[in-house]
Amino acid sequence: MEGGIVQLLVKVMLTTFVLMGVIMLCCIVTPRLAKWIDAHRPRREDSPDSADPNAPTVQGPFDKSSDPDYDLNYKIYHKDIYGVDFKHGKEKNG
């Protein structure tokens, strides 16, 4: 091998190791910095922790329903989600 090619490969290798080291440090420092910021953040009085117990709440789409007959997975298990009836080979309309 020529000396110029070896020098170029060594530069690329060192640059790669330096970049990998910077990425590793970022991965280590970021969660610790976030934890420190969260610990030193001033708390507000109107935070959800001190909310009025009589205040209305919003139910999420995946929260448990108050209707006992409601099944979140009904459409998945009781309907052909691909739109093709594989028993007869015909496409369904709707």
Side-chain angles (χ1 to χ4, degrees):
M1 283 186 153
E2 296 180 19
I5 295 176
V6 172
Q7 288 179 350
L8 179 65
L9 290 176
V10 168
K11 284 182 182 179
V12 169
M13 184 178 68
L14 290 176
T15 304
T16 304
F17 285 146
V18 168
L19 288 175
M20 287 175 25
V22 168
I23 291 170
M24 182 183 70
L25 286 175
C26 289
C27 290
I28 292 172
V29 169
T30 302
R32 293 180 186 202
L33 182 63
K35 184 190 263 185
W36 182 82
I37 290 172
D38 202 28
H40 290 85
R41 180 179 296 168
R43 301 290 177 208
R44 295 185 343 197
E45 293 299 323
D46 59 347
S47 66
D49 299 334
S50 63
D52 181 22
N54 296 327
T57 59
V58 177
Q59 185 173 1
F62 299 108
D63 292 345
K64 185 176 179 180
S65 176
S66 60
D67 183 13
D69 295 331
Y70 178 73
D71 183 13
L72 186 63
N73 296 319
Y74 180 81
K75 288 186 177 181
I76 294 173
Y77 296 119
H78 299 291
K79 184 178 180 183
D80 183 12
I81 61 174
Y82 299 106
V84 177
D85 185 4
F86 290 110
K87 293 179 184 175
H88 304 291
K90 299 177 184 177
E91 289 191 17
K92 291 183 179 178
N93 294 331

